[in-house]
Amino acid sequence: MAVAAAAAIAVTGFTRKRPVKKPFPEHLPRERVVVPGPVACICCGGERLRKLGEDITETMESVPRSWKVIQTVREKFTCRDCEKISQAPAPFHVIPRGWAGPSLLAMMLCDKFGQHIPLNRQVERFALEGVPISLSTAADAIGACCQVLEPLVRRIESHTFASERIHGDDTTVPVMALGKTVTGRIWSYVKDDAPFGGAAPPSAMFYYSRDRAGEHPQAHLANYTGILQADAYTGYGQLYIPDRSPGPIYEAGCWAHARRPFFAQADLETNARRKAQGKSAAVISPAALNMVQRIDALFEIERQINGRTADERKAIRQQLSKPLIDDMEIWIREQRARLSRDNDLAKAFDYILNRWESFTRFLDDGRICLSNNCAERSLRGVAMSDSLYASFSSVWKHWDLILGFEVTRAPVTP
């Protein structure tokens, strides 16, 4: 009955807008190529022509990348009186022996870590352009750059953990070790004060670990005190001890995580996809659909107060969100009492009830967000290419993060 009722929901029609071609950026230089006009009338052959106007067709073009070798000449002079040789000091180089200039190094770093282009593909492109650079030389340059940027990394780390509230999350990373693929972890901690009107610039700090042991986030946050917005990973448990030194860390739950199991049981689109894949369709639960609607009502309030000060957010939450939360708790406990322990819906309810204090902490603190999506967005780039992880080997070498095994590119499963 619930499936039939949900399937009868009317869907608003959609009309695709007619695409409009945007003009090319104004800052790009224009090269004017004039096509000679006719010298005689195409109709009568007369030669008494006068210019009426012109039509311009713009086409964007790219100039191939150019390479050059800069020769820094330091002249030597000898003194005719004492025969001492004088010469200007050697120029500064970003990396030892200075075979690559700062612009080339910046391009390699941006392509590797920003665009997720592994070094082997970069050097192949260089070779096609007539500039052969060995892969080991490029890897050493990247490692040296990481060493040079280490003070900047420490400044970013200090700025990130100076926040009153941070977001935390982690994701897997495939790494080959001793002939087999192991699963490592990338940990992300994000500072973003914009939701509660903070003026501090956002930042993110990333760490790598061999496994997902709780000792890693405990080491990352050893000196942090404040609010940690994260999922319910048990490895964070030691961070929430009240008498922790140097101070307490308060857990803030993520309502987006809590909503997912309910959304999965109330999603018609997912069921249609499962049916197309030959899988059995899950029964849509009215209780799950009701829970999704209740959580969505909280998010709708959050959209209205995003960017306001922490005090304003707290006041509005006390007025609008708290009654919804109070009613939700009563309803959840009533629904949970009717379900068995192994029921999927019961597990989803227990996930919230067991952490009710962390899920409702946002009502009394305007700095807390309703979800941890900020940290999840910071890890999207990691999912773009496993080449990012495989190319970390040169960075670990120069950052004293040798893990005791050889790191190579993990195979890609078709």
Side-chain angles (χ1 to χ4, degrees), residues 315-327:
I316 296 176
R317 285 171 174 174
Q318 289 290 324
Q319 178 184 1
L320 302 179
S321 301
K322 192 175 187 304
L324 300 181
I325 289 292
D326 293 340
D327 182 65

Side-chain angles (χ1 to χ4, degrees), residues 114-388:
Q115 301 301 318
H116 312 288
I117 303 176
L119 286 180
N120 65 305
R121 286 175 22 206
Q122 289 193 48
V123 297
E124 289 173 1
R125 178 70 178 271
F126 298 162
L128 292 175
E129 297 176 7
V131 184
I133 299 175
S134 68
L135 180 59
S136 61
T137 300
D140 288 341
I142 294 295
C145 288
C146 293
Q147 184 76 21
V148 171
L149 294 173
E150 177 72 11
L152 179 59
V153 173
R154 298 282 75 85
R155 290 292 299 272
I156 295 176
E157 181 182 51
S158 176
H159 173 76
T160 301
F161 292 124
S163 177
E164 301 170 346
R165 183 221 61 209
I166 59 174
H167 295 265
D169 201 2
D170 66 282
T171 190
T172 58
V173 45
V175 182
M176 285 201 68
L178 300 179
K180 64 178 181 179
T181 301
V182 298
T183 300
R185 287 278 166 176
I186 295 293
W187 303 83
S188 172
Y189 301 96
V190 181
K191 172 180 180 176
D192 184 8
D193 298 343
F196 58 90
S203 62
M205 189 66 194
F206 298 89
Y207 299 95
Y208 170 83
S209 68
R210 171 71 180 271
D211 51 40
R212 205 194 183 199
E215 62 188 36
H216 302 302
Q218 293 166 22
H220 302 156
L221 301 173
N223 299 318
Y224 178 73
T225 59
I227 302 168
L228 175 60
Q229 190 107 36
D231 56 24
Y233 169 51
T234 56
Y236 296 132
Q238 293 296 319
L239 298 172
Y240 304 136
I241 298 176
D243 57 350
R244 170 184 174 271
S245 178
I249 292 181
Y250 300 100
E251 178 185 11
C254 173
W255 281 97
H257 275 85
R259 180 177 58 179
R260 287 171 188 170
F262 299 104
F263 190 83
Q265 297 183 57
D267 190 5
L268 289 172
E269 182 180 354
T270 299
N271 276 337
R273 190 182 305 112
R274 289 175 58 89
K275 184 177 180 181
Q277 295 173 350
K279 300 179 181 179
S280 59
V283 177
I284 294 179
S285 168
L289 185 60
N290 190 317
M291 188 63 182
V292 170
Q293 293 171 344
R294 289 174 179 270
I295 298 177
D296 285 348
L298 295 176
F299 276 102
E300 183 60 33
I301 297 174
E302 291 300 305
R303 296 186 186 97
Q304 301 173 14
I305 64 176
N306 187 38
R308 297 195 183 186
T309 65
D311 291 338
E312 292 175 337
R313 285 157 63 92
K314 176 183 175 181
I316 296 176
R317 285 171 174 174
Q318 289 290 324
Q319 178 184 1
L320 302 179
S321 301
K322 192 175 187 304
L324 300 181
I325 289 292
D326 293 340
D327 182 65
M328 180 190 295
E329 182 181 10
I330 297 174
W331 181 83
I332 289 178
R333 296 188 182 279
E334 291 177 351
Q335 297 296 319
R336 177 62 185 88
R338 304 172 186 173
L339 302 171
S340 64
R341 181 178 60 182
D342 296 330
N343 186 282
D344 290 339
L345 196 58
K347 295 178 181 178
F349 283 136
D350 289 340
Y351 179 85
I352 299 176
L353 292 175
N354 293 339
R355 303 167 182 84
W356 188 252
E357 182 179 0
S358 66
F359 275 109
T360 58
R361 181 164 277 123
F362 78 99
L363 295 174
D364 301 313
D365 195 327
R367 298 169 298 177
I368 298 176
C369 290
L370 205 61
S371 75
N372 195 38
N373 292 341
C374 181
E376 295 190 359
R377 287 194 297 268
S378 72
L379 291 169
R380 283 184 178 178
V382 177
M384 290 178 62
S385 173
D386 68 304
S387 62
L388 172 64

Side-chain angles (χ1 to χ4, degrees), residues 66-79:
S66 61
W67 296 79
K68 65 180 179 181
V69 177
I70 299 177
Q71 294 182 336
T72 302
V73 181
R74 295 183 296 135
E75 296 179 325
K76 294 181 180 180
F77 290 87
T78 181
C79 178

